[in-house]
Amino acid sequence: MRDPRLTRRRFLALTGASTAAGGLSTTSSAGRAGGLLTTSSAGRADAATRDLNQAVLAAFERHRLVAIGESHGQQEHGDAQQMLLADPRLPQVVDDIVVEFGNALYQPIVDRFVAGAAVDDQVLRQVWRNTTQSPGATGDQPIREQFFRTVRAVNWTLPAERRIRVLLGDPPIDWSRITTQDQVDAFLAQRDAHMASVVKREVLAKKRRALICYGSGHVMHSPEPGQNADHGVPLIEEQTGRHVYVIVAGSHPRLVTCPRRAVIPCSGTWLESTDAGQFMDAPRLCGVPLGKLADAVLYLGQLTDLTQSLWNPAIFLDPVYWAELQRRDAINGNLIDLEQYRQQQPIALPAPPPGSCAANRGH
């Protein structure tokens, strides 16, 4: 049953956009040795951790595909992403970046833009505003536009053959032709399959390497054969036989002494067998060992310190854009409280209640 009081935040939670908001944990010290962060003896001293840049670079030494799962709208994740993009070593190991927050209908526009061509702002904005997730998620947070502009700036100094290509993973929905919920649902149903097809066709078939930037729910491994089989990374792994190195973002009080942007491997640590559901605000994962879902954890800070990347409410005073969002919301059954967009939002990231796997067992 659809809840007419559904807010944008609740919509994101129901669609899996905020998976992993609850975070993950391990025991780790903040010491550095040879550029690596080493865990304390309580957390297995042989389980060395790296910062995000080092971890991604190391992963590409052994894998053609590396995925970073995020909690959508988190400023700290956007900051870490920017630091990774700005690392001059990244173009040496990455050919493509596959993103959830871009409509594949506009792939030619993004190709031109990140290559340095002139693209009008109103044309570029279509890329993140017109995804299947609109109007529940419009992509108007600053971190989204900043991503595309940073890739463009990075490519500015590179020869054409080494420029990073951004591949838009969201299905090519054309909102100008959408009039019914059934039409929207048809595109929603193919989100993960479309991402997998893009990776196979544009990356693997061309013997390229790609960084995949998606919500954690799309990139987690299948815990068992057949489970999560319709999610992006499991589809890729099942159809190609190629392992994707998966890093999911998360937080936990026991990580308070760990440096932000540290990546902790699951293998060889207690994370490998710990219950994923209690950390990831996802009852469906209760009883699933975290090590079956991810290869590593990205720590970005304690939940009380995390913040949102917030849109400018003035954006939604544009009468044309506002009317289109209202039209889309009406198609979807008026589920979203659109007035939120025109109001100032709190900067603190809303923390989900602690997961209670015990309460979900037997149900």
Side-chain angles (χ1 to χ4, degrees):
M1 180 179 296
R2 297 179 182 274
D3 182 356
R5 298 167 299 172
L6 189 66
T7 64
R8 173 182 174 277
R9 187 168 297 151
R10 180 61 179 156
F11 175 86
L12 294 177
L14 289 176
T15 56
S18 296
T19 300
L24 312 163
S25 67
T26 187
T27 49
S28 175
S29 72
R32 292 181 179 270
L36 301 183
L37 307 172
T38 56
T39 60
S40 67
S41 58
R44 292 288 299 276
D46 58 335
T49 68
R50 298 175 167 92
D51 71 16
L52 179 60
N53 293 22
Q54 293 168 327
V56 169
L57 293 169
F60 274 113
E61 293 177 1
R62 296 172 287 112
H63 304 276
R64 287 177 60 188
L65 301 173
V66 176
I68 303 177
E70 69 168 50
S71 297
H72 293 323
Q74 189 180 105
Q75 180 64 55
E76 287 72 21
H77 193 281
D79 294 340
Q81 188 178 69
Q82 290 296 307
M83 294 181 70
L84 176 61
L85 293 175
D87 193 311
R89 299 169 294 179
L90 189 67
Q92 300 173 25
V93 299
V94 170
D95 302 299
D96 308 303
I97 303 178
V98 186
V99 299
E100 181 180 4
F101 45 88
N103 182 340
L105 185 68
Y106 305 104
Q107 186 65 55
I109 292 173
V110 164
D111 284 341
R112 294 199 307 272
F113 181 75
V114 300
V119 176
D120 289 342
D121 286 348
Q122 63 181 7
V123 174
L124 183 63
R125 292 187 191 112
Q126 297 176 96
V127 172
W128 55 82
R129 284 185 172 179
N130 292 344
T131 72
T132 59
Q133 300 305 283
S134 180
T138 68
D140 285 301
Q141 301 100 323
I143 56 174
R144 296 309 186 207
E145 181 172 356
Q146 189 178 31
F147 168 86
F148 292 102
R149 294 193 179 278
T150 299
V151 175
R152 174 187 170 97
V154 168
N155 282 343
W156 184 268
T157 63
L158 300 174
E161 65 275 11
R162 280 286 359 123
R163 290 174 186 158
I164 295 174
R165 188 183 185 199
V166 176
L167 295 170
L168 305 178
D170 199 60
I173 187 172
D174 184 347
W175 276 103
S176 69
R177 299 174 180 269
I178 298 297
T179 58
T180 69
Q181 180 64 54
D182 287 343
Q183 291 175 307
V184 177
D185 289 343
F187 282 99
L188 289 173
Q190 58 177 289
R191 291 188 70 216
D192 287 87
H194 180 78
M195 182 262 268
S197 70
V198 168
V199 171
K200 290 189 296 179
R201 182 183 66 250
E202 299 296 332
V203 182
L204 297 179
K206 297 180 180 180
K207 302 187 184 304
R208 293 164 69 87
R209 292 172 292 186
L211 180 67
I212 301 172
C213 297
Y214 260 70
S216 291
H218 299 279
V219 303
M220 292 184 295
H221 301 298
S222 291
E224 300 292 344
Q227 289 186 306
N228 296 340
D230 58 344
H231 293 187
V233 161
L235 282 171
I236 294 169
E237 294 182 323
E238 178 184 345
Q239 294 172 8
T240 69
R242 187 173 296 277
H243 181 82
V244 181
Y245 190 83
V246 173
I247 302 170
V248 293
S251 180
H252 189 274
R254 293 174 67 179
L255 283 172
V256 68
T257 60
C258 192
R260 288 190 174 194
R261 298 177 56 250
V263 174
I264 307 102
C266 291
S267 179
T269 73
W270 73 280
L271 287 171
E272 190 169 16
S273 60
T274 196
D275 195 317
Q278 65 177 310
F279 296 119
M280 303 184 74
D281 187 32
R284 66 185 178 83
L285 299 178
C286 288
V288 179
L290 180 59
K292 289 191 174 184
L293 301 177
D295 298 285
V297 171
L298 168 62
Y299 172 66
L300 294 170
Q302 293 295 296
L303 290 178
T304 54
D305 296 328
L306 298 178
T307 59
Q308 299 186 84
S309 176
L310 294 174
W311 58 87
N312 182 348
I315 290 172
F316 303 97
L317 297 179
D318 177 346
V320 176
Y321 185 33
W322 186 248
E324 174 60 14
L325 291 178
Q326 290 179 309
R327 186 186 75 86
R328 295 177 189 180
D329 193 30
I331 291 173
N332 287 329
N334 293 309
L335 295 179
I336 309 302
D337 177 14
L338 293 180
E339 288 300 326
Q340 297 175 84
Y341 292 128
R342 289 181 163 180
Q343 300 167 4
Q344 193 68 41
Q345 301 293 314
I347 193 67
L349 189 73
S356 177
C357 284
N360 288 283
R361 291 192 178 100
H363 295 280

